[in-house]
PDB file of all heavy atoms in Angstrom:
ATOM      1  N   LEU A  73       0.823  -1.107  -0.078  1.00 98.00           N
ATOM      2  CA  LEU A  73      -0.021   0.011  -0.044  1.00 98.00           C
ATOM      3  C   LEU A  73       0.927   1.210  -0.041  1.00 98.00           C
ATOM      4  O   LEU A  73       1.574   1.521   0.971  1.00 98.00           O
ATOM      5  CB  LEU A  73      -0.899  -0.066   1.206  1.00 98.00           C
ATOM      6  CG  LEU A  73      -1.704   1.223   1.476  1.00 98.00           C
ATOM      7  CD1 LEU A  73      -2.636   1.489   0.301  1.00 98.00           C
ATOM      8  CD2 LEU A  73      -2.538   1.055   2.780  1.00 98.00           C
ATOM      9  N   ASP A  74       1.024   1.844  -1.154  1.00 98.00           N
ATOM     10  CA  ASP A  74       1.883   3.021  -1.247  1.00 98.00           C
ATOM     11  C   ASP A  74       1.344   4.258  -0.646  1.00 98.00           C
ATOM     12  O   ASP A  74       2.042   5.087   0.032  1.00 98.00           O
ATOM     13  CB  ASP A  74       2.263   3.316  -2.737  1.00 98.00           C
ATOM     14  CG  ASP A  74       3.095   2.338  -3.385  1.00 98.00           C
ATOM     15  OD1 ASP A  74       4.240   2.209  -2.924  1.00 98.00           O
ATOM     16  OD2 ASP A  74       2.759   1.557  -4.344  1.00 98.00           O
ATOM     17  N   ASP A  75       0.035   4.498  -0.870  1.00 97.00           N
ATOM     18  CA  ASP A  75      -0.569   5.752  -0.345  1.00 97.00           C
ATOM     19  C   ASP A  75      -2.082   5.489   0.049  1.00 97.00           C
ATOM     20  O   ASP A  75      -2.803   4.692  -0.525  1.00 97.00           O
ATOM     21  CB  ASP A  75      -0.687   6.774  -1.582  1.00 97.00           C
ATOM     22  CG  ASP A  75       0.605   7.037  -2.268  1.00 97.00           C
ATOM     23  OD1 ASP A  75       1.684   7.231  -1.617  1.00 97.00           O
ATOM     24  OD2 ASP A  75       0.630   6.845  -3.552  1.00 97.00           O
ATOM     25  N   LEU A  76      -2.344   6.097   1.249  1.00 97.00           N
ATOM     26  CA  LEU A  76      -3.636   6.086   1.737  1.00 97.00           C
ATOM     27  C   LEU A  76      -3.999   7.491   2.268  1.00 97.00           C
ATOM     28  O   LEU A  76      -3.218   7.971   3.159  1.00 97.00           O
ATOM     29  CB  LEU A  76      -3.852   5.062   2.809  1.00 97.00           C
ATOM     30  CG  LEU A  76      -5.227   4.888   3.450  1.00 97.00           C
ATOM     31  CD1 LEU A  76      -6.228   4.316   2.497  1.00 97.00           C
ATOM     32  CD2 LEU A  76      -5.099   4.094   4.743  1.00 97.00           C
ATOM     33  N   PHE A  77      -5.015   7.984   1.872  1.00 97.00           N
ATOM     34  CA  PHE A  77      -5.358   9.365   2.250  1.00 97.00           C
ATOM     35  C   PHE A  77      -6.891   9.536   2.206  1.00 97.00           C
ATOM     36  O   PHE A  77      -7.556   9.084   1.344  1.00 97.00           O
ATOM     37  CB  PHE A  77      -4.756  10.420   1.278  1.00 97.00           C
ATOM     38  CG  PHE A  77      -5.050  11.815   1.587  1.00 97.00           C
ATOM     39  CD1 PHE A  77      -4.440  12.453   2.687  1.00 97.00           C
ATOM     40  CD2 PHE A  77      -6.009  12.622   0.933  1.00 97.00           C
ATOM     41  CE1 PHE A  77      -4.660  13.769   3.016  1.00 97.00           C
ATOM     42  CE2 PHE A  77      -6.266  13.857   1.214  1.00 97.00           C
ATOM     43  CZ  PHE A  77      -5.608  14.539   2.326  1.00 97.00           C
ATOM     44  N   VAL A  78      -7.424  10.208   3.301  1.00 97.00           N
ATOM     45  CA  VAL A  78      -8.806  10.611   3.349  1.00 97.00           C
ATOM     46  C   VAL A  78      -8.838  12.089   3.588  1.00 97.00           C
ATOM     47  O   VAL A  78      -8.112  12.574   4.412  1.00 97.00           O
ATOM     48  CB  VAL A  78      -9.543   9.818   4.532  1.00 97.00           C
ATOM     49  CG1 VAL A  78     -10.963  10.401   4.748  1.00 97.00           C
ATOM     50  CG2 VAL A  78      -9.520   8.352   4.258  1.00 97.00           C
ATOM     51  N   ALA A  79      -9.668  12.686   2.817  1.00 97.00           N
ATOM     52  CA  ALA A  79      -9.773  14.207   2.978  1.00 97.00           C
ATOM     53  C   ALA A  79     -10.123  14.621   4.423  1.00 97.00           C
ATOM     54  O   ALA A  79     -10.837  13.895   5.161  1.00 97.00           O
ATOM     55  CB  ALA A  79     -10.973  14.734   2.114  1.00 97.00           C
ATOM     56  N   PRO A  80      -9.402  15.686   4.938  1.00 96.00           N
ATOM     57  CA  PRO A  80      -9.548  15.992   6.304  1.00 96.00           C
ATOM     58  C   PRO A  80     -11.019  16.127   6.864  1.00 96.00           C
ATOM     59  O   PRO A  80     -11.336  15.670   7.942  1.00 96.00           O
ATOM     60  CB  PRO A  80      -8.803  17.340   6.409  1.00 96.00           C
ATOM     61  CG  PRO A  80      -7.793  17.335   5.327  1.00 96.00           C
ATOM     62  CD  PRO A  80      -8.528  16.545   4.223  1.00 96.00           C
ATOM     63  N   GLU A  81     -11.833  16.708   6.029  1.00 96.00           N
ATOM     64  CA  GLU A  81     -13.296  16.839   6.433  1.00 96.00           C
ATOM     65  C   GLU A  81     -14.062  15.518   6.379  1.00 96.00           C
ATOM     66  O   GLU A  81     -15.143  15.429   6.985  1.00 96.00           O
ATOM     67  CB  GLU A  81     -13.986  17.831   5.509  1.00 96.00           C
ATOM     68  CG  GLU A  81     -14.038  17.492   4.015  1.00 96.00           C
ATOM     69  CD  GLU A  81     -12.837  17.794   3.178  1.00 96.00           C
ATOM     70  OE1 GLU A  81     -11.770  18.164   3.775  1.00 96.00           O
ATOM     71  OE2 GLU A  81     -12.916  17.620   2.026  1.00 96.00           O
ATOM     72  N   SER A  82     -13.374  14.482   5.849  1.00 97.00           N
ATOM     73  CA  SER A  82     -14.169  13.154   5.871  1.00 97.00           C
ATOM     74  C   SER A  82     -13.458  12.090   6.823  1.00 97.00           C
ATOM     75  O   SER A  82     -13.916  10.983   6.887  1.00 97.00           O
ATOM     76  CB  SER A  82     -14.069  12.586   4.515  1.00 97.00           C
ATOM     77  OG  SER A  82     -14.881  13.429   3.627  1.00 97.00           O
ATOM     78  N   ARG A  83     -12.504  12.545   7.639  1.00 94.00           N
ATOM     79  CA  ARG A  83     -11.865  11.671   8.576  1.00 94.00           C
ATOM     80  C   ARG A  83     -12.842  11.273   9.682  1.00 94.00           C
ATOM     81  O   ARG A  83     -13.653  12.159  10.016  1.00 94.00           O
ATOM     82  CB  ARG A  83     -10.618  12.281   9.151  1.00 94.00           C
ATOM     83  CG  ARG A  83      -9.573  12.373   8.073  1.00 94.00           C
ATOM     84  CD  ARG A  83      -8.275  12.934   8.512  1.00 94.00           C
ATOM     85  NE  ARG A  83      -7.435  13.060   7.237  1.00 94.00           N
ATOM     86  CZ  ARG A  83      -6.478  13.917   7.063  1.00 94.00           C
ATOM     87  NH1 ARG A  83      -6.188  14.728   8.117  1.00 94.00           N
ATOM     88  NH2 ARG A  83      -5.714  14.036   5.973  1.00 94.00           N
ATOM     89  N   GLY A  84     -12.865   9.984   9.939  1.00 92.00           N
ATOM     90  CA  GLY A  84     -13.847   9.549  11.008  1.00 92.00           C
ATOM     91  C   GLY A  84     -15.174   9.005  10.318  1.00 92.00           C
ATOM     92  O   GLY A  84     -15.971   8.544  10.992  1.00 92.00           O
ATOM     93  N   SER A  85     -15.253   9.048   8.963  1.00 95.00           N
ATOM     94  CA  SER A  85     -16.329   8.656   8.283  1.00 95.00           C
ATOM     95  C   SER A  85     -16.401   7.233   8.044  1.00 95.00           C
ATOM     96  O   SER A  85     -17.507   6.692   7.553  1.00 95.00           O
ATOM     97  CB  SER A  85     -16.477   9.361   6.916  1.00 95.00           C
ATOM     98  OG  SER A  85     -15.364   8.953   6.064  1.00 95.00           O
ATOM     99  N   GLY A  86     -15.341   6.491   8.292  1.00 96.00           N
ATOM    100  CA  GLY A  86     -15.240   5.153   7.885  1.00 96.00           C
ATOM    101  C   GLY A  86     -14.547   4.862   6.580  1.00 96.00           C
ATOM    102  O   GLY A  86     -14.319   3.726   6.131  1.00 96.00           O
ATOM    103  N   ALA A  87     -14.119   5.816   5.886  1.00 97.00           N
ATOM    104  CA  ALA A  87     -13.622   5.727   4.449  1.00 97.00           C
ATOM    105  C   ALA A  87     -12.247   4.930   4.619  1.00 97.00           C
ATOM    106  O   ALA A  87     -12.003   4.120   3.746  1.00 97.00           O
ATOM    107  CB  ALA A  87     -13.349   7.077   3.840  1.00 97.00           C
ATOM    108  N   ALA A  88     -11.443   5.204   5.558  1.00 97.00           N
ATOM    109  CA  ALA A  88     -10.176   4.522   5.691  1.00 97.00           C
ATOM    110  C   ALA A  88     -10.417   2.935   5.998  1.00 97.00           C
ATOM    111  O   ALA A  88      -9.756   2.173   5.399  1.00 97.00           O
ATOM    112  CB  ALA A  88      -9.322   5.137   6.780  1.00 97.00           C
ATOM    113  N   ASP A  89     -11.461   2.778   6.807  1.00 96.00           N
ATOM    114  CA  ASP A  89     -11.703   1.298   7.105  1.00 96.00           C
ATOM    115  C   ASP A  89     -12.146   0.585   5.904  1.00 96.00           C
ATOM    116  O   ASP A  89     -11.725  -0.542   5.561  1.00 96.00           O
ATOM    117  CB  ASP A  89     -12.906   1.289   8.122  1.00 96.00           C
ATOM    118  CG  ASP A  89     -12.457   1.816   9.542  1.00 96.00           C
ATOM    119  OD1 ASP A  89     -11.672   1.106  10.173  1.00 96.00           O
ATOM    120  OD2 ASP A  89     -13.071   2.754   9.935  1.00 96.00           O
ATOM    121  N   LEU A  90     -13.010   1.259   5.124  1.00 98.00           N
ATOM    122  CA  LEU A  90     -13.520   0.662   3.918  1.00 98.00           C
ATOM    123  C   LEU A  90     -12.470   0.421   2.852  1.00 98.00           C
ATOM    124  O   LEU A  90     -12.370  -0.544   2.150  1.00 98.00           O
ATOM    125  CB  LEU A  90     -14.709   1.475   3.286  1.00 98.00           C
ATOM    126  CG  LEU A  90     -15.990   1.339   4.177  1.00 98.00           C
ATOM    127  CD1 LEU A  90     -16.903   2.465   3.633  1.00 98.00           C
ATOM    128  CD2 LEU A  90     -16.554   0.028   4.117  1.00 98.00           C
ATOM    129  N   LEU A  91     -11.576   1.436   2.713  1.00 98.00           N
ATOM    130  CA  LEU A  91     -10.357   1.235   1.767  1.00 98.00           C
ATOM    131  C   LEU A  91      -9.503   0.128   2.150  1.00 98.00           C
ATOM    132  O   LEU A  91      -9.109  -0.763   1.325  1.00 98.00           O
ATOM    133  CB  LEU A  91      -9.599   2.613   1.630  1.00 98.00           C
ATOM    134  CG  LEU A  91     -10.304   3.707   0.891  1.00 98.00           C
ATOM    135  CD1 LEU A  91      -9.720   5.053   1.240  1.00 98.00           C
ATOM    136  CD2 LEU A  91     -10.239   3.396  -0.624  1.00 98.00           C
ATOM    137  N   LEU A  92      -9.170   0.050   3.456  1.00 97.00           N
ATOM    138  CA  LEU A  92      -8.338  -1.074   3.955  1.00 97.00           C
ATOM    139  C   LEU A  92      -9.029  -2.397   3.835  1.00 97.00           C
ATOM    140  O   LEU A  92      -8.428  -3.396   3.385  1.00 97.00           O
ATOM    141  CB  LEU A  92      -7.934  -0.772   5.364  1.00 97.00           C
ATOM    142  CG  LEU A  92      -6.884   0.358   5.579  1.00 97.00           C
ATOM    143  CD1 LEU A  92      -6.789   0.757   7.037  1.00 97.00           C
ATOM    144  CD2 LEU A  92      -5.608   0.081   4.988  1.00 97.00           C
ATOM    145  N   ALA A  93     -10.350  -2.464   4.110  1.00 97.00           N
ATOM    146  CA  ALA A  93     -11.048  -3.676   3.867  1.00 97.00           C
ATOM    147  C   ALA A  93     -11.136  -4.154   2.486  1.00 97.00           C
ATOM    148  O   ALA A  93     -11.008  -5.356   2.246  1.00 97.00           O
ATOM    149  CB  ALA A  93     -12.505  -3.513   4.418  1.00 97.00           C
ATOM    150  N   ARG A  94     -11.251  -3.186   1.513  1.00 98.00           N
ATOM    151  CA  ARG A  94     -11.262  -3.598   0.209  1.00 98.00           C
ATOM    152  C   ARG A  94      -9.919  -4.102  -0.270  1.00 98.00           C
ATOM    153  O   ARG A  94      -9.769  -5.114  -0.990  1.00 98.00           O
ATOM    154  CB  ARG A  94     -11.805  -2.421  -0.755  1.00 98.00           C
ATOM    155  CG  ARG A  94     -11.778  -2.694  -2.240  1.00 98.00           C
ATOM    156  CD  ARG A  94     -12.765  -3.861  -2.483  1.00 98.00           C
ATOM    157  NE  ARG A  94     -12.630  -4.315  -3.902  1.00 98.00           N
ATOM    158  CZ  ARG A  94     -12.463  -5.640  -4.295  1.00 98.00           C
ATOM    159  NH1 ARG A  94     -12.489  -6.576  -3.390  1.00 98.00           N
ATOM    160  NH2 ARG A  94     -12.388  -5.918  -5.617  1.00 98.00           N
ATOM    161  N   LEU A  95      -8.848  -3.420   0.237  1.00 97.00           N
ATOM    162  CA  LEU A  95      -7.542  -3.955  -0.082  1.00 97.00           C
ATOM    163  C   LEU A  95      -7.300  -5.315   0.498  1.00 97.00           C
ATOM    164  O   LEU A  95      -6.756  -6.111  -0.168  1.00 97.00           O
ATOM    165  CB  LEU A  95      -6.534  -2.904   0.561  1.00 97.00           C
ATOM    166  CG  LEU A  95      -5.167  -2.815  -0.137  1.00 97.00           C
ATOM    167  CD1 LEU A  95      -5.182  -2.803  -1.694  1.00 97.00           C
ATOM    168  CD2 LEU A  95      -4.373  -1.757   0.360  1.00 97.00           C
ATOM    169  N   ARG A  96      -7.786  -5.680   1.624  1.00 97.00           N
ATOM    170  CA  ARG A  96      -7.642  -6.955   2.291  1.00 97.00           C
ATOM    171  C   ARG A  96      -8.369  -7.923   1.280  1.00 97.00           C
ATOM    172  O   ARG A  96      -7.857  -9.047   1.066  1.00 97.00           O
ATOM    173  CB  ARG A  96      -8.247  -6.924   3.601  1.00 97.00           C
ATOM    174  CG  ARG A  96      -8.160  -8.337   4.253  1.00 97.00           C
ATOM    175  CD  ARG A  96      -8.740  -8.210   5.702  1.00 97.00           C
ATOM    176  NE  ARG A  96      -7.851  -7.452   6.510  1.00 97.00           N
ATOM    177  CZ  ARG A  96      -7.734  -7.476   7.871  1.00 97.00           C
ATOM    178  NH1 ARG A  96      -8.587  -8.268   8.466  1.00 97.00           N
ATOM    179  NH2 ARG A  96      -6.953  -6.760   8.455  1.00 97.00           N
ATOM    180  N   GLU A  97      -9.527  -7.590   0.791  1.00 98.00           N
ATOM    181  CA  GLU A  97     -10.250  -8.461  -0.161  1.00 98.00           C
ATOM    182  C   GLU A  97      -9.500  -8.729  -1.352  1.00 98.00           C
ATOM    183  O   GLU A  97      -9.417  -9.879  -1.892  1.00 98.00           O
ATOM    184  CB  GLU A  97     -11.671  -7.871  -0.411  1.00 98.00           C
ATOM    185  CG  GLU A  97     -12.658  -7.868   0.735  1.00 98.00           C
ATOM    186  CD  GLU A  97     -13.879  -7.003   0.465  1.00 98.00           C
ATOM    187  OE1 GLU A  97     -13.916  -6.447  -0.665  1.00 98.00           O
ATOM    188  OE2 GLU A  97     -14.816  -7.011   1.244  1.00 98.00           O
ATOM    189  N   ILE A  98      -8.920  -7.688  -1.902  1.00 98.00           N
ATOM    190  CA  ILE A  98      -8.237  -7.819  -3.185  1.00 98.00           C
ATOM    191  C   ILE A  98      -6.999  -8.692  -2.949  1.00 98.00           C
ATOM    192  O   ILE A  98      -6.720  -9.670  -3.803  1.00 98.00           O
ATOM    193  CB  ILE A  98      -7.787  -6.388  -3.726  1.00 98.00           C
ATOM    194  CG1 ILE A  98      -8.916  -5.633  -4.216  1.00 98.00           C
ATOM    195  CG2 ILE A  98      -6.694  -6.583  -4.809  1.00 98.00           C
ATOM    196  CD1 ILE A  98      -8.699  -4.213  -4.522  1.00 98.00           C
ATOM    197  N   ALA A  99      -6.368  -8.532  -1.900  1.00 98.00           N
ATOM    198  CA  ALA A  99      -5.158  -9.454  -1.513  1.00 98.00           C
ATOM    199  C   ALA A  99      -5.658 -10.873  -1.431  1.00 98.00           C
ATOM    200  O   ALA A  99      -4.908 -11.719  -1.948  1.00 98.00           O
ATOM    201  CB  ALA A  99      -4.488  -8.994  -0.209  1.00 98.00           C
TER     202      ALA A  99
END
């Protein structure tokens, strides 16, 4: 995982969790 970023106004929205979960699925 080279880069992971969530816009500051969207932090805490669950976006990071969902991105990481999808990456786990892809792996």
Side-chain angles (χ1 to χ4, degrees):
L73 172 59
D74 287 298
D75 310 310
L76 179 68
F77 181 74
V78 173
E81 63 275 10
S82 296
R83 292 182 186 154
S85 67
D89 293 297
L90 292 167
L91 286 160
L92 290 167
R94 180 62 188 127
L95 202 49
R96 181 179 290 202
E97 291 170 356
I98 290 168

